[in-house]
Amino acid sequence: MRIVVLVSGSGTNLQALLDAGPPEQTGYAVVAVSADRPGTGGEDRARERGIPTFVVRVADFATRAEWDAALTREVAAHTPELVVSAGFMKVLGGRFLDRFPTINTHPALLPSFPGTHGVRDALAHGVKVTGCTCHWVDGGVDTGPIIDQRAVRVEPGDTEGILHERIKVAERAMLVDVVRALAAERRAGLRPLD
Ligand code: GAR
């Protein structure tokens, strides 16, 4: 299964997908990585593996719809069967989502604490258990159907950074498991993605 990964940050989830094994074992191949700004760790990690990368910045377009069309065009050139939003901090547009089945990973147990500050918001609320969610992307902010979740305990003295790192350990394993499972289902014809 050909996948394109969208990143905005350090790209450790992308790294987990890359480290999971060769396509013959995992059932998927990362064929390109796209970032919403230059200089992300995610792009560096892709380049180290010789994977094509490209940047499509919202600020370079007059309207959000033009950005959506440009990102759709650039991603389509790599003919993905699945798009993985892995720490991509932009809301994808309708054209993009009509074209590509897309999953996202989020650092909280949705539907609690959607949005940009899932970890901070969970900590501020005082929850004792939080975690991560992998879900299909629809037009909303972290609203699509849930595929998998992992629970993570909040420990006394946790800061946002410490808690986020603990969540990300669970998140990386979850994401690899989900993508492998989707690839296997696709191979078996159980879940046509397009
Ligand atoms: C991940 O924890 C991901 O869930 C989060 O950004 C981190 C990216 O880490 N995404 C969001 O908060 C989106 N709302 P990474 O760049 O090391 O993979």
Side-chain angles (χ1 to χ4, degrees):
M1 181 172 67
R2 296 172 62 83
I3 68 175
V4 168
V5 180
L6 309 179
V7 297
S8 298
S10 64
T12 66
N13 280 284
L14 164 67
Q15 190 72 52
L17 289 170
L18 296 174
D19 290 346
E24 312 83 65
Q25 275 173 26
T26 61
Y28 64 81
V30 179
V31 296
V33 169
S34 179
D36 61 346
R37 59 193 172 86
T40 60
E43 245 199 313
D44 294 342
R45 291 173 194 275
R47 274 200 216 98
E48 269 170 35
R49 294 290 182 106
I51 295 167
T53 69
F54 52 96
V55 173
V56 188
R57 298 192 326 153
V58 174
D60 289 338
F61 298 90
T63 65
R64 196 88 185 183
E66 285 174 44
W67 170 75
D68 180 23
L71 183 62
T72 303
R73 202 168 47 242
E74 296 262 2
V75 169
H78 297 278
T79 57
E81 294 159 294
L82 179 74
V83 173
V84 179
S85 158
F88 188 65
M89 303 306 271
K90 295 281 180 301
V91 176
L92 291 162
R95 184 190 291 242
F96 188 96
L97 295 173
D98 282 349
R99 179 89 183 247
F100 310 112
T102 303
I103 63 171
N104 178 51
T105 176
H106 181 74
L109 292 175
L110 295 171
S112 294
F113 312 117
T116 315
H117 302 296
V119 180
R120 187 186 307 172
D121 295 345
L123 201 54
H125 195 88
V127 297
K128 301 302 174 209
V129 175
T130 182
C132 49
T133 303
C134 189
H135 64 96
W136 292 104
V137 179
D138 61 10
V141 176
D142 302 325
T143 49
I146 291 170
I147 305 169
D148 199 1
Q149 294 185 305
R150 305 282 159 96
V152 173
R153 283 204 70 80
V154 180
E155 302 292 349
D158 269 354
T159 61
E160 182 182 358
I162 290 170
L163 179 57
H164 198 171
E165 284 310 313
R166 192 178 312 117
I167 291 170
K168 282 172 71 169
V169 174
E171 189 176 19
R172 291 189 282 262
M174 174 188 68
L175 182 62
V176 170
D177 285 351
V178 165
V179 176
R180 289 183 80 129
L182 291 175
E185 286 177 18
R186 183 177 173 82
R187 216 165 38 240
L190 297 177
R191 189 200 295 255
L193 294 175
D194 48 18

